[in-house]
Amino acid sequence: VQLQASGGGSVQAGGSLTLSCAASGQTFSNYGMGWFRRAPGKEREFVAFIRRGGDRTYYADFVKGRFSISRDNAKSTVSLQMNRLKSEDTAVYYCAADSRDHGFSTWYLRSDEYIHWGQGTQVTVSS
């Protein structure tokens, strides 16, 4: 599956952005979808995940209550609504997809468990 992320930009602290990731090439509903981010000088880190059917979502503690992940399997898209943005949310955000059985329930937290990645979209939050 090919992934195309969009929606990044510059925003002031406290503002909102919505990232989108469009998938093509395979049956989208077969894939669990994650968002990760990489801030300057830091490792890539998990942000949010949504299961194939959209029935369960998971978030990193630092975005709980501020970010919301959703998907539209009919349109092959996954979105990340980001509210109350902070300067520390500044990063390149990546969407990722994987359809395999991983053998453990928290696989989605690990970036090395995803095969497919989008190109990244820059989010800059100014204070």
Side-chain angles (χ1 to χ4, degrees):
V1 66
Q2 291 77 47
L3 303 175
Q4 180 73 37
S6 61
S10 297
V11 65
Q12 290 191 330
S16 299
L17 280 174
T18 300
L19 306 183
S20 295
C21 179
S24 61
Q26 300 291 334
T27 303
F28 181 67
S29 59
N30 288 342
Y31 291 83
M33 298 297 298
W35 284 96
F36 287 76
R37 70 186 188 186
R38 177 175 285 162
K42 294 187 176 181
E43 297 291 319
R44 188 179 299 186
E45 62 182 355
F46 168 76
V47 175
F49 175 80
I50 187 166
R51 286 174 34 163
R52 298 170 186 175
D55 56 324
R56 291 291 298 272
T57 57
Y58 304 89
Y59 298 92
D61 286 344
F62 52 79
V63 303
K64 281 182 181 177
R66 300 189 299 124
F67 291 13
S68 178
I69 188 172
S70 61
R71 68 188 295 159
D72 186 334
N73 283 347
K75 296 182 179 179
S76 299
T77 58
V78 61
S79 297
L80 185 69
Q81 173 69 44
M82 306 185 295
N83 299 321
R84 291 185 281 136
L85 283 161
K86 305 175 181 180
S87 57
E88 52 262 45
D89 294 319
T90 295
V92 178
Y93 284 72
Y94 300 88
C95 56
D98 204 89
S99 63
R100 300 169 295 166
D101 291 326
H102 295 261
F104 60 108
S105 61
T106 56
W107 68 268
Y108 57 86
L109 295 171
R110 296 178 50 166
S111 60
D112 58 358
E113 293 289 333
Y114 295 81
I115 287 181
H116 308 284
W117 289 85
Q119 84 287 4
T121 185
Q122 175 71 47
V123 172
T124 302
V125 184
S126 57
S127 57

